[in-house]
Amino acid sequence: MNRAWWIKLVLLVTFVVGAGVYVYPTLARLDLDKTGFPFKKKVNLGLDLQGGLYMVLGVDFNKVFKEILERQVASLKDTLKVRNISAQVQRLDSSEASPDDPRIVVTLEPSKQEELQGIIKRDLWNLRLTQQDAGRLEFGLSREYRSEVKERTITQSIEVIRNRIDEFGVSEPVITSQGNDRVVVELPGIREVERAKNLIGRTAKLEFRLVADKLMEQGQVASIVEKIERSQKLTYNEGEKFSDYVQRLNELAKGKIPEGTQIAFERIKSAGAGSADASRIPHLLHSKTEISGEDLQDANIQFDPENQRPNVSFKLTPRGAELFDQFTGNHIGERLAIVLDNIVHSAPVIQSRIGGGNGQITLGQGMGDELMKEAKDLAIVLRAGALPAQLEFMEQRVIGPSLGQDSIEKGTRAGVVGCFLIFAFMIFYYRASGVVAVASLMLNALFILAILIGIDATLTLPGIAGIALTVGMAVDSNVIIFERIRDELLEGKPVMAAVENGFSKAFSCIFDANITHGIVATILLNFGTGPIRGFAVTLLIGIFTTLFCAVTFCKLVFDGYLGLSKKQIKRLSI
């Protein structure tokens, strides 16, 4: 026995022990929260094996187009003001234009129309002229730009959802687009369904707006809200979309509140135990957003040193910090509203210039775990970024673990029966060498499972199919090697030479076969989605483990058997 053989044996034993440590918690079904076993990791099971949440979300592009057009209106007004062009710019009501193709109308002197069209063509290229009359031009978003917005919005939504779910702690979520206006989300093993839905669907639009106390006192705003609710019979019931109520209220308040302002609410839950009631405090805010969530750099949970209540602190980007410093310096003594998803979280008075770009959002009146969970979710949403569009939950299916358990049991039963038949055939046909092949196959499965756990991959039903295919490839490799050795023995070669020639001649064939499988698996991994990628991952892992077990392990056993024999072996049990 030479030194190289012993080094290989030590490495093999090390690999086997390491793989065993990785796989033991899964095979022993340990409770990772209670066990004292040092390695606390299990194989991640996919949605089809452990159950979870399946959702289809629709993207509200009408709202996206509307917001884009409103920004274009503001930009056009500023441009016309700079060029001293007197014009009226307004958006058409939804009754006059299609919801998916909103329009704006510019009314001005006919002599200025050509100049306006030049400005639009140069600065607002994504607008298209839809109607032209003397002194009146109507514009909408170009078709090419709307297609680009749709594609970009879907891509951004998928990325933001993925970031949020990653921080939420769901292993290997599947997030894909469906058609051109839907996103499919699969969350294996999720238990807190409503929390996950709230976390995914929130737009998390953070804005800092100046409270318009100089234009109208808060008591007057509350009086206007009360009169509108009474005269228009407008009410809000818990469970309904609060944003719809606020939008309707502001439409009815036009002409009653100053132009360039809108009403927003600060909602404070009642302190009564188990009460879902919330008081609504109206604020009149300037419509212009001074600083937005785009200027947010980070968000974390901090505790108030006085009452130990969690709050969400945030840090702005250098650009945001500079804007915040300048803005607060110009509006000392006025109130600044911190608005999240069109809800006012607080509206403190600016006491002095605030530099450094640091701020804090004070949470509601909840207690204990409920408040801590709210703070954690809010920090995740802010940190992960804002959704570019509002998502509607079109479909939701909770897949119970019983279905996955049934798949596991049937798959295990099929695997056990299949492996038993393969093992029996190999031992019967190749005798003692067949036992070596069986040990190689078992090590192969052990290494595949350990690598899946090590890289945090998710095991799905297609993944199990990939493992089954890998076992078949491993059997094929052993058959090629053993048949080559048999051919060498039939030619009268000594046992040691037959083994050496058998492995060397079989290697090229085994290597070529696995390379072709690897090319296919790589293509599936790069261009496939969901279950196809799971199949490709296990197949790729299986290719490397098969080469190692079929060639290295089996060769090591044969060399050890021949080297440890004191006298020359003339026959081999094969």
Side-chain angles (χ1 to χ4, degrees):
M1 304 296 297
N2 56 29
R3 185 179 178 185
W5 185 90
W6 286 105
I7 292 174
K8 291 178 183 178
L9 179 63
V10 171
L11 288 175
L12 176 64
V13 171
T14 303
F15 289 152
V16 172
V17 171
V21 171
Y22 269 66
V23 171
Y24 178 73
T26 298
L27 297 182
R29 299 183 180 181
L30 298 181
D31 186 341
L32 299 183
D33 295 327
K34 299 178 181 178
T35 183
F37 193 73
F39 185 77
K40 300 181 184 296
K41 214 171 188 182
K42 286 185 176 182
V43 64
N44 298 317
L45 299 180
L47 189 69
D48 50 1
L49 293 180
Q50 67 167 323
L53 184 61
Y54 174 90
M55 293 180 291
V56 178
L57 297 87
V59 182
D60 186 1
F61 286 112
N62 295 344
K63 186 176 181 181
V64 175
F65 295 147
K66 176 183 173 183
E67 290 178 351
I68 291 174
L69 209 60
E70 286 177 348
R71 290 197 295 269
Q72 299 289 49
V73 167
S75 178
L76 183 58
K77 285 181 177 179
D78 292 341
T79 302
L80 294 176
K81 186 176 180 181
V82 170
R83 292 178 174 272
N84 292 320
I85 298 177
S86 178
Q88 184 178 3
V89 184
Q90 61 183 14
R91 192 171 61 85
L92 284 179
D93 292 336
S94 55
S95 59
E96 300 178 75
S98 173
D100 64 342
D101 188 14
R103 307 286 177 84
I104 60 172
V105 173
V106 182
T107 307
L108 74 171
E109 296 179 10
S111 60
K112 297 289 185 178
Q113 285 187 203
E114 187 174 344
E115 184 179 356
L116 174 64
Q117 287 181 305
I119 293 172
I120 296 289
K121 187 175 182 179
R122 185 180 64 253
D123 299 334
L124 302 172
W125 53 268
N126 53 10
L127 294 180
R128 77 181 196 279
L129 182 64
T130 57
Q131 187 174 336
Q132 178 177 1
D133 297 312
R136 183 182 183 277
L137 298 176
E138 183 178 298
F139 296 94
L141 295 174
S142 68
R143 293 178 178 84
E144 295 80 7
Y145 184 69
R146 280 190 294 163
S147 298
E148 180 186 332
V149 167
K150 283 187 175 183
E151 183 178 351
R152 186 176 68 235
T153 301
I154 286 287
T155 303
Q156 290 178 350
S157 295
I158 290 175
E159 190 59 33
V160 171
I161 291 173
R162 189 182 305 281
N163 290 339
R164 293 182 181 182
I165 291 173
D166 285 345
E167 294 204 48
F168 188 56
V170 180
S171 300
E172 293 296 322
V174 177
I175 308 168
T176 56
S177 61
Q178 186 181 79
N180 58 4
D181 62 348
R182 295 191 179 186
V183 177
V184 176
V185 180
E186 296 181 14
L187 306 179
I190 196 70
R191 295 291 179 265
E192 297 174 282
V193 176
E194 289 304 319
R195 184 184 175 199
K197 287 176 61 178
N198 292 335
L199 188 63
I200 292 170
R202 287 173 65 178
T203 54
K205 189 176 182 182
L206 179 66
E207 299 171 299
F208 295 89
R209 294 188 187 179
L210 199 64
V211 181
D213 288 327
K214 291 183 178 181
L215 300 179
M216 184 176 288
E217 294 181 358
Q218 190 169 358
Q220 294 177 277
V221 179
S223 177
I224 290 174
V225 171
E226 184 181 354
K227 289 178 181 177
I228 291 175
E229 288 184 331
R230 186 172 60 251
S231 62
Q232 301 294 329
K233 296 182 179 180
L234 179 66
T235 58
Y236 169 71
N237 299 313
E238 288 293 338
E240 298 177 354
K241 290 182 67 173
F242 189 66
S243 58
D244 291 344
Y245 162 80
V246 175
Q247 181 179 356
R248 177 61 179 159
L249 177 70
N250 277 284
E251 288 176 357
L252 296 172
K254 287 181 179 178
K256 300 180 177 63
I257 59 176
E259 187 178 353
T261 63
Q262 64 183 71
I263 298 172
F265 290 89
E266 181 178 359
R267 303 183 68 195
I268 301 177
K269 289 186 178 180
S270 302
S275 175
D277 295 334
S279 57
R280 304 193 302 274
I281 302 175
H283 297 276
L284 186 67
L285 309 181
H286 287 280
S287 299
K288 183 182 178 182
T289 300
E290 303 296 340
I291 300 170
S292 70
E294 295 177 356
D295 299 307
L296 189 71
Q297 180 172 311
D298 197 9
N300 293 288
I301 298 174
Q302 288 189 349
F303 291 89
D304 191 315
E306 295 183 2
N307 53 28
Q308 292 301 307
R309 289 172 63 84
N311 293 317
V312 177
S313 64
F314 59 87
K315 182 175 180 61
L316 299 171
T317 61
R319 173 185 174 277
E322 183 179 347
L323 291 173
F324 200 60
D325 178 74
Q326 182 180 356
F327 173 75
T328 52
N330 294 337
H331 296 280
I332 294 175
E334 299 182 55
R335 287 196 299 154
L336 177 66
I338 301 174
V339 185
L340 183 69
D341 293 343
N342 296 317
I343 302 294
V344 178
H345 275 255
S346 60
V349 176
I350 302 173
Q351 303 289 351
S352 61
R353 181 186 296 270
I354 302 174
N358 296 310
Q360 190 176 80
I361 299 178
T362 304
L363 300 178
Q365 304 299 314
M367 297 296 291
D369 293 341
E370 180 184 351
L371 190 63
M372 187 63 190
K373 185 178 291 187
E374 181 184 352
K376 182 180 179 182
D377 287 351
L378 178 57
I380 288 174
V381 171
L382 291 177
R383 194 163 56 242
L387 282 167
Q390 184 174 350
L391 300 177
E392 299 286 343
F393 288 90
M394 313 291 292
E395 181 183 351
Q396 171 190 329
R397 293 202 306 268
V398 178
I399 300 174
S402 59
L403 179 62
Q405 188 61 37
D406 183 61
S407 299
I408 293 173
E409 290 176 356
K410 289 184 177 179
T412 302
R413 191 180 306 120
V416 169
V417 172
C419 288
F420 174 78
L421 294 175
I422 290 173
F423 293 170
F425 171 78
M426 293 296 289
I427 295 173
F428 171 77
Y429 195 72
Y430 292 110
R431 303 174 188 175
S433 298
V435 176
V436 177
V438 168
S440 172
L441 294 175
M442 295 177 69
L443 275 183
N444 199 354
L446 176 69
F447 288 145
I448 291 174
L449 195 57
I451 293 173
L452 285 173
I453 296 171
I455 65 175
D456 285 327
T458 298
L459 182 62
T460 61
L461 281 175
I464 293 176
I467 294 176
L469 180 58
T470 297
V471 172
M473 291 162 53
V475 171
D476 185 54
S477 299
N478 284 304
V479 169
I480 293 172
I481 292 171
F482 293 165
E483 290 300 324
R484 283 287 187 179
I485 294 175
R486 276 184 170 182
D487 290 342
E488 294 293 321
L489 291 173
L490 288 174
E491 291 178 5
K493 299 284 181 67
V495 172
M496 189 169 289
V499 170
E500 193 68 33
N501 292 340
F503 274 95
S504 61
K505 291 181 178 179
F507 179 76
S508 60
C509 179
I510 296 170
F511 184 77
D512 290 346
N514 281 277
I515 283 294
T516 55
H517 280 95
I519 293 172
V520 173
T522 303
I523 293 172
L524 292 177
L525 185 64
N526 283 283
F527 297 101
T529 58
I532 297 175
R533 289 172 61 89
F535 175 80
V537 167
T538 53
L539 193 57
L540 274 175
I541 294 172
I543 288 169
F544 291 104
T545 57
T546 296
L547 286 172
F548 176 78
C549 292
V551 177
T552 305
F553 171 74
C554 290
K555 183 68 163 54
L556 192 68
V557 173
F558 276 103
D559 286 348
Y561 171 67
L562 296 174
L564 288 173
S565 300
K566 294 182 179 179
K567 45 186 183 176
Q568 189 175 8
I569 297 175
K570 296 182 178 181
R571 296 188 62 185
L572 188 65
S573 179
I574 195 167

